[in-house]
Amino acid sequence: MSRLDGFRQALTARGAAELQDLRERAAVPLALRRRVGVASLVPGSGCTTVAVELARFLSSARNDRVRFVSAQGPSPRPERGLEGTSVEALELAPTEWPADVEAWWRLHRASSDRYDLTVTDWGTSPLARIRDLAEHSHVLCLVTTAERASIQHALDIAAAIGERTRVVLVAVDVHRRAGLATERLVSRLPFPAVLVRHDRALGAGAARGLDGVRMLRLGARVIDAAAGIAVPPAPVPVPAPAPTPQAPPQAPPRVPAPAQAQASQAPPQVPPSAPPHVPAPAQVFPPAPHADRPGARS
């Protein structure tokens, strides 16, 4: 067996072990009912697709009763992506769009006792509304595009709301341009994060729109957060500005003594045969005050 074949077998074994671990984590039992919110920070980032695929995955990987709620306004009906599953799809009345938390809460209370997991698609939400959505969710999935600036924006928001709500970042490679650098960036974020790629068959009208392996990772992250396994990291503290070091006090400039005093302190050694030499008086006094102002006399 060549070294390349051994490397391929090692990668295959590692991938199989990871998939098995993700499946076990996705099936962790939940002691209480949980609400999972999916909100987008950038329009066109695939929030509805992520929410539908997440509900589909949770329904297939678990024995829990899953409900999907569409609260993001007029859009293609989500039932098309949930056909053949046991997920019940609900949507708020068109008169309540854009849906607020109170309208969603009334719909949720009507039949919340019959479901263990509720996945709500909030769509693109303004920044002022994200905190309100987070307070009504046990887990909030922040969906953004896979560009670096968008990921940084989502990370800043997650740090602001991560004190009370567990946050999972979902970076969707909408334009299919994410490379190895983006993979490493997402994997090293201080919050649970998943890079999701669009399925190439999505444009051909396929029912499934996202990569299955990455959706398995996302489902495992969400269940970890809902079960309290993944401890939410503390927000990154803002470093206090360091005090400006004060310069040590400097001694006043030393003014040389007058030439006559210098002559009295250290008389020059003149040979007896040479005539005495009297030095010319030197300019040792400081300049007159305000000599640098215009019009001052020289």
Side-chain angles (χ1 to χ4, degrees), residues 8-295:
R8 290 176 178 173
Q9 290 184 3
L11 288 180
T12 304
R14 180 179 179 182
E18 179 186 5
L19 291 178
Q20 181 63 26
D21 177 67
L22 291 175
R23 291 190 181 97
E24 293 177 356
R25 288 164 54 189
V28 170
L30 299 176
L32 300 173
R33 300 183 181 92
R34 287 294 180 260
R35 301 183 297 271
V36 180
V38 183
S40 175
L41 301 174
V42 181
S45 59
C47 179
T48 299
T49 305
V50 170
V52 170
E53 290 297 316
L54 180 61
R56 173 191 284 271
F57 168 79
L58 294 177
S59 175
S60 61
R62 304 178 57 83
N63 296 324
D64 297 329
R65 295 165 296 179
V66 181
R67 177 175 57 178
F68 178 87
V69 179
S70 177
Q72 59 102 13
S75 65
R77 296 183 64 85
E79 291 84 348
R80 298 177 182 177
L82 298 174
E83 294 176 352
T85 66
S86 59
V87 179
E88 179 184 356
L90 303 176
E91 59 182 11
L92 294 178
T95 57
E96 296 178 315
W97 286 333
D100 56 2
V101 176
E102 293 298 329
W104 171 86
W105 195 250
R106 290 193 299 269
L107 180 65
H108 174 72
R109 286 182 175 178
S111 57
S112 60
D113 295 340
R114 294 182 297 172
Y115 298 95
D116 302 307
L117 280 170
T118 300
V119 179
T120 303
D121 174 24
W122 291 103
T124 304
S125 302
L127 184 60
R129 189 184 178 206
I130 290 293
R131 186 182 294 274
D132 193 16
L133 301 182
E135 292 180 354
H136 289 76
S137 304
H138 297 103
V139 181
L140 181 64
C141 295
L142 290 180
V143 183
T144 184
T145 57
E147 281 72 23
R148 183 175 181 179
S150 300
I151 295 176
Q152 180 64 56
H153 184 211
L155 181 61
D156 295 339
I157 297 178
I161 66 177
E163 297 179 352
R164 299 181 179 179
T165 304
R166 301 178 185 273
V167 180
V168 177
L169 299 183
V170 185
V172 182
D173 187 13
V174 178
H175 306 290
R176 302 175 185 171
R177 295 181 297 190
L180 183 59
T182 308
E183 288 273 9
R184 293 179 177 177
L185 173 64
V186 174
S187 63
R188 296 177 181 178
L189 292 177
F191 285 86
V194 179
L195 175 64
V196 179
R197 301 184 186 275
H198 269 293
D199 194 346
R200 295 183 180 274
L202 178 63
R208 300 295 297 274
L210 298 177
D211 189 330
V213 176
R214 298 176 186 274
M215 285 304 302
L216 179 58
R217 294 175 182 172
L218 174 59
R221 302 286 195 280
V222 171
I223 295 301
D224 285 347
I229 297 176
V231 179
V236 180
V238 179
T244 304
Q246 298 181 357
Q250 299 181 357
R254 183 178 180 182
V255 180
Q260 295 180 358
Q262 292 180 0
S264 61
Q265 294 177 2
Q269 300 293 334
V270 181
S273 58
H277 175 71
V278 179
Q283 298 293 333
V284 296
F285 297 99
H290 311 300
D292 56 343
R293 294 185 178 179

